[in-house]
Amino acid sequence: MAKLQNRPLESPRIIVCEGADEADILILLRNEIKKTEADVEIVNAEGRQHLVAFCGDQLKSSGGSDIRLMAVVLDNEDDLAQTQTLMANIRTEVGKRSELKFYCLPSNDQTGALETLIRDAIPAHSPGHACATQWAQCVESDTGIPPSHQKTTQAQRDKAWLQVWLTHRTRDTAYSRIGYALAKNADLRDELNTALNPLRQVLRDVLSANLDSP
């Protein structure tokens, strides 16, 4: 938010991310293809609970009246119906002031989060995979409660699993956020290259959208 307050929006295309990890990764991918804020703005709503108001606020920011396309990247968490309700509320907030696109993670019809998408793409032979899986099994064994009956959501379990994998993978540094870990470790970016393809597709979709269409 501070960055938006200090400068005008530079592009009629904006990607609003639910959290910092999605924003960090999309900015990395934007840099990868040598694009800038002038091509597409990428901003962090700082939490699911802020998405509706944040999307509306972007249209009031300096340069916001020129936004033609707003793409919203959000997790499905553990309730697809709740995500649908959230998207409907964003549509109401934005109205006809901008075209809207939604990108749900890990996919439109699967519960979970960004971490679910990445966890699913990590091969079993990856260093740290067995360690993280064993840790998850130990947690289940200690509680005696299978994942399907735990109060934690699939998204929360995948985030915890990924943190264990990251700690093993980076050894000396424990990262709490995958986006920050990717920004700091080129070898992680190489290993998770294909896992990030769905986010690359988001970027391609937004950049290729015809803003002159009715």
Side-chain angles (χ1 to χ4, degrees), residues 76 144 164:
N76 270 329
V164 176

Side-chain angles (χ1 to χ4, degrees), residues 139-151:
V139 171
E140 179 185 341
S141 176
D142 288 345
T143 62
I145 303 172
S148 59
H149 290 80
Q150 292 176 15
K151 290 184 178 179

Side-chain angles (χ1 to χ4, degrees), residues 30-41:
R30 184 181 65 189
N31 293 341
E32 183 182 85
I33 58 174
K34 303 187 186 314
K35 299 293 184 181
T36 68
E37 290 95 342
D39 299 295
V40 56
E41 295 278 1

Side-chain angles (χ1 to χ4, degrees), residues 90-131:
I90 293 172
R91 287 190 189 95
T92 300
E93 177 70 18
V94 172
K96 297 181 178 179
R97 293 179 289 173
S98 169
E99 180 185 351
L100 267 173
K101 287 180 177 287
F102 291 99
Y103 298 91
C104 298
L105 303 176
S107 63
N108 288 341
D109 58 357
Q110 181 185 352
T111 58
L114 168 69
E115 289 80 3
T116 307
L117 185 157
I118 292 176
R119 177 183 177 178
D120 288 348
I122 296 173
H125 59 75
S126 167
H129 191 288
C131 178

Side-chain angles (χ1 to χ4, degrees), residues 14-89:
I14 184 170
I15 301 176
V16 177
C17 300
E18 176 179 326
D21 285 313
E22 293 86 352
D24 286 350
I25 292 171
L26 282 165
I27 288 171
L28 281 172
L29 297 178
R30 184 181 65 189
N31 293 341
E32 183 182 85
I33 58 174
K34 303 187 186 314
K35 299 293 184 181
T36 68
E37 290 95 342
D39 299 295
V40 56
E41 295 278 1
I42 299 170
V43 294
N44 168 21
E46 300 183 356
R48 190 177 185 84
Q49 71 275 22
H50 302 306
L51 268 174
V52 176
F54 190 90
C55 287
D57 287 345
Q58 302 321 292
L59 296 159
K60 303 170 189 172
S61 302
S62 176
S65 60
D66 293 327
I67 293 175
R68 301 285 304 282
L69 170 62
M70 179 180 291
V72 183
V73 178
L74 68 163
D75 295 334
N76 270 329
E77 296 294 335
D78 228 35
D79 189 338
L80 296 177
Q82 193 274 346
T83 300
Q84 290 294 323
T85 299
L86 178 56
M87 291 191 295
N89 291 338

